[in-house]
Amino acid sequence: MTRAASLALVDCNNFYASCERLFRPDLLHRAIVVLSNNDGCVVARSAEAKMLGIPMGVPLHQVQHLIRQHGVVLFSSNYALYGDISRRVMTVLSTLAPDLEVYSIDEAFLDLSGIRDIEPHAHMIRATVRQWTGIPVSIGIAPTKTLSKVANRLAKKDPALKGVMDLRDSRLQEQLLRDFPVGDVWGIGRRLAEKLDVLGIGTALQLRDADTSLLRARFGVVMERLVRELRGEKCLDLESQPAPKQQIIASRSFGQPVTGLHEVQEAVSHHVARAAARLRSQYSIAQTLQIQLYPLPFGALARQASIQLSQATADTSEMIRVARQVVAGLYQPGQRYRKAGVMLLDLAPPGVRQASLFSAPEDPKRQQLMHTLDGINAQFGRAMLRFAAEGIEQPWAMRAGKRSPRYTTCWGELARVR
């Protein structure tokens, strides 16, 4: 038996559904479905909903018969709740491992190097997260990130493993990869799986043992790294500090078709404010602002425009001022719009700002104002302070008629004990 360095992938089980159950214990063992923006499609399911055959991504109206027949409980997406619970889970994990990479809202890679009894430690992590946050997790242990994803998938499938799969043993890897579909390997999508199938590669073991030079020539260096990871060769390091994003997008569909210029400008201003807050959170400034307006019917080409700011900035008010002008130029009277979006481009740290001969230097008081705004919203909720240009009533806002209370982030929606 050979043992190697150890990584663990911790994945929250049915995360959105588990968050909804935290404050609704009556939903234990009941089928739960979480819907996308505007309550259009299924974006998350509990294990019970999966067993009913409700597919991921399906429009809600196509599974209404199953919803009614089995009394499935529906929820609108509650990202304030999910984001806060995720932060709590990641905080707990950071105390139980030497190093951690937050991979997504419900997944994290842990470096378990130096821990002697790794499998018992993983069971302890699982129990601690469940006790301190209420969220069930599964843990896959392996020498590489790719193999830990395989191990995690197996941990979820086999109840006998009790949520932890240790895949460090090379002989066990060979045994289990033999029956593991290549399409389920991390980074292999449906189309790539079809191309591999043409080459006679249908399982993870066949991919592991394939000719790397041939695969690299056909699919590139990313595929070669993936194959080496399946062989237990560590090619992907833990990224404790994620790199700043190179672009930031804020985009949402309207709750109902919008025709008025004022409403469209409000919505775009709101998206600008969200994007600018994320820009400041990664300590960047943006040089270019892109606006998109999506008309009805679905499939019609979006109208969009990009404008280079006179001076790179992270000031929300300056971006909103420019964005409203851009929207006025894109807007067509009488047109019904279904969606608007904002993209911030040419991002850079403030220290590499390109100076302008014709613009006044940015006022430090404006930077302090943005800092104060972010601080208040972080402490009291994202919409505690907002710009008047974003609107008060926001009739264009997306539908979320089945959203649960924001139990942990909104004072007015705290859980009540009777």
Side-chain angles (χ1 to χ4, degrees):
M1 178 185 294
T2 60
R3 296 282 193 184
S6 302
L7 292 175
L9 174 67
V10 181
D11 189 3
C12 301
N13 298 346
N14 308 311
F15 182 58
Y16 289 2
S18 296
C19 289
E20 298 294 351
R21 280 181 175 144
L22 277 180
F23 298 90
R24 290 283 309 275
D26 59 301
L27 297 180
L28 194 64
H29 304 309
R30 287 193 62 181
I32 296 174
V33 159
V34 179
L35 303 171
S36 62
N37 294 340
N38 286 319
D39 297 344
C41 299
V42 174
V43 295
R45 306 155 295 163
S46 66
E48 296 80 2
K50 293 175 185 175
M51 291 178 65
L52 293 176
I54 298 175
M56 187 72 163
V58 67
L60 177 61
H61 67 85
Q62 291 185 13
V63 291
Q64 278 289 10
H65 61 292
L66 292 173
I67 302 293
R68 287 192 294 267
Q69 181 181 353
H70 299 283
V72 178
V73 182
L74 299 178
F75 286 100
S76 304
S77 296
N78 187 345
Y79 294 114
L81 176 66
Y82 309 152
D84 186 60
I85 299 301
S86 171
R87 180 187 59 78
R88 297 177 187 220
V89 170
M90 300 307 167
T91 300
V92 173
L93 292 176
S94 68
T95 66
L96 302 173
D99 203 0
L100 165 145
E101 174 190 337
V102 178
Y103 179 67
S104 67
I105 192 171
D106 60 349
E107 290 178 282
F109 289 103
L110 305 184
D111 179 3
L112 299 183
S113 301
I115 296 175
R116 178 178 295 179
D117 300 318
I118 287 183
E119 192 169 334
H121 187 78
H123 282 286
M124 182 275 291
I125 291 175
R126 186 168 182 267
T128 303
V129 172
R130 184 63 183 267
Q131 182 178 7
W132 291 7
T133 69
I135 297 296
V137 301
S138 296
I139 302 177
I141 306 166
T144 68
K145 282 185 171 179
T146 303
L147 283 173
S148 69
K149 292 281 283 189
V150 172
N152 190 283
R153 195 176 182 91
L154 297 171
K156 285 186 173 178
K157 280 188 173 181
D158 187 352
L161 296 171
K162 298 182 178 179
V164 175
M165 175 70 207
D166 186 348
L167 199 55
R168 289 176 293 158
D169 186 310
S170 57
R171 287 176 299 182
L172 184 60
Q173 291 170 20
E174 180 161 345
Q175 176 186 337
L176 295 177
L177 291 181
R178 184 172 288 112
D179 297 323
F180 198 87
V182 72
D184 290 344
V185 174
W186 188 35
I188 303 291
R190 180 177 58 83
R191 291 183 179 178
L192 193 50
E194 291 172 354
K195 292 178 180 178
L196 290 170
D197 188 59
V198 173
L199 299 176
I201 300 174
T203 69
L205 185 65
Q206 290 172 327
L207 180 62
R208 189 200 73 172
D209 295 338
D211 184 340
T212 51
S213 57
L214 171 66
L215 292 174
R216 176 168 181 158
R218 284 184 175 243
F219 303 108
V221 67
V222 174
M223 175 64 82
E224 181 184 358
R225 279 203 297 263
L226 191 153
V227 172
R228 294 188 183 281
E229 285 249 318
L230 285 175
R231 293 173 180 173
E233 182 180 337
K234 192 175 177 182
C235 300
L236 302 172
D237 291 325
L238 221 60
E239 297 178 7
S240 303
Q241 297 293 331
K245 296 182 184 304
Q246 297 303 305
Q247 62 182 29
I248 293 177
I249 301 172
S251 176
R252 290 230 176 117
S253 298
F254 299 135
Q256 56 189 4
V258 168
T259 57
L261 172 61
H262 179 69
E263 291 175 311
V264 177
Q265 286 179 319
E266 273 192 1
V268 170
S269 299
H270 179 66
H271 296 329
V272 167
R274 292 170 52 218
R278 289 160 57 189
L279 181 71
R280 291 189 294 274
S281 72
Q282 66 171 31
Y283 305 104
S284 296
I285 54 177
Q287 183 73 64
T288 302
L289 179 65
Q290 187 178 89
I291 308 293
Q292 300 103 14
L293 301 182
Y294 298 84
L296 282 169
F298 285 91
L301 292 177
R303 290 177 61 80
Q304 67 177 37
S306 299
I307 185 166
Q308 190 168 28
L309 303 171
S310 59
Q311 184 166 270
T313 184
D315 189 321
T316 300
S317 59
E318 172 61 16
M319 291 187 189
I320 286 179
R321 183 186 67 77
V322 174
R324 289 175 63 86
Q325 294 174 354
V326 174
V327 170
L330 290 174
Y331 173 78
Q332 292 181 309
Q335 175 65 58
R336 300 167 75 224
Y337 293 97
R338 61 180 177 84
K339 180 179 178 181
V342 170
M343 186 182 300
L344 304 183
L345 301 163
D346 298 333
L347 310 189
V352 297
R353 181 199 307 269
Q354 180 67 48
S356 171
L357 288 175
F358 307 104
S359 301
E362 195 162 30
D363 186 350
K365 292 183 179 178
R366 298 292 310 173
Q367 298 176 23
Q368 182 59 43
L369 178 62
M370 292 298 105
H371 178 73
T372 303
L373 172 73
D374 293 338
I376 292 174
N377 283 339
Q379 184 171 358
F380 298 104
R382 192 168 62 187
M384 178 58 65
L385 285 182
R386 64 187 181 198
F387 288 79
E390 298 178 61
I392 303 300
E393 299 296 332
Q394 299 185 335
W396 40 266
M398 67 178 184
R399 294 190 301 273
K402 302 180 185 301
R403 181 179 61 75
S404 55
R406 294 164 292 186
Y407 295 106
T408 60
T409 58
C410 181
W411 287 111
E413 298 178 18
L414 293 177
R416 297 183 179 183
V417 179
R418 299 177 180 173

